[in-house]
Amino acid sequence: MSENLKKLPDTVRGRDYIETKDWTNEEIELALKTAADLKVMFKEGKPHRYLPDKTIFLFFFDKSTRTRNSFEAGATQLGGHAHFIAAETSQVAHGESPRDMGIILSSYGHAVGIRHDLVPGEGNSYMREVAKNAQVPVLNMQCDIDHPFQTLADLMTIREEFGNDLRGRKIAVSWAYAPSYAKPMSVPQGLITLMPRFGLDVVLAHPPEYTLMKSEMEYAQKAAKENGVKFEVVDNMDDAFKDADIVYPKSWGIESLFHKPEEALEISKKYKHWICDEEKMKLTKKEAIYMHCLPADRGYEVTDAVIDSPQSRVFPEAENRLHTCKSVMALTM
Ligand code: CP
């Protein structure tokens, strides 16, 4: 590390980051503060090589634009190297175990990132098995339960907009129709479990078939109670959007039908009217912002008029993926 760089705290050094729930509020605050500092250094063109000669392996079981590129660019900017591996090109495709993978990759480098998000019940367990056997941090680049780098970037974006005190502010997390593919449940689950911890009232809206995992719903209810905020579930977008400060409408799949995409697509067609358009945005507060983790199905989940409007924060949100992943890499590796 360059001598001119401020030393980062060691409080989460060596730790996994698999779900935001695994980190205390103080640890999340440290990640957010470090991300904000790294963002300033990046914007000012100041070197910030916190990870010289360090390697992170990025193991992808699914496609990615933002996650892969923010980690690869971020590792380089931190003075290290991110090594991309498509799962189907590795021996995992021939059945090599997560245990062996964790042991071997941790003997070659300093962290393992994994994206394994498509099938409920698989990705998180896989990562935890790797983590149990790895000697280096395992970072969740999206699983079936959580997308902790996305929601950290979302919280950073929300705070940039409204300040750190979010009490009295409301986020509407809503299902929306998308014909492209059954999107994972991890983003809405990550939002409902993280945001109440940081003072936001949360309203979740979805058609009856699109319930989220029981464990995540219970955690969200508990977190809301403990933090004195509201967590409410409604069955339509309009009720969720009413007087919201932040709207986050996006599609996700049906938990029991990820193995039956055609059946799931047929059900989703009943709900094509679940689209975020200008009429729906009129229900929100005047200063409300529109968010989406991207990629969005334009014309289905959201109209161009909304996603390209002054209320949209999708690009700052995507940008913050870089600063937040660099923060967690710099703090843990
Ligand atoms: N939001 C997000 O994770 O984007 P990618 O799927 O492109 O990584």
Side-chain angles (χ1 to χ4, degrees), residues 14 44 60 106 217 259 303 325:
E44 292 179 350
F60 280 85
S106 52
M217 291 295 288
H259 291 292
T303 60
C325 84

Side-chain angles (χ1 to χ4, degrees), residues 16 32 53 84 105 141 149 153 175-176 210 213-214 221 310 330:
D16 302 322
L32 289 167
D53 306 322
F84 172 78
L105 290 187
M141 300 192 300
F149 285 96
W175 186 86
Y210 292 88
M213 288 176 182
K214 192 165 169 272
Q221 276 149 1

Side-chain angles (χ1 to χ4, degrees), residues 63-67 115 142 147 150 293-295 321:
K63 299 168 183 60
S64 168
T65 299
R66 281 143 290 273
T67 307
R115 167 168 284 195
Q142 188 170 17
H147 193 353
Q150 180 64 52
C293 55
L294 303 180
R321 292 294 309 276

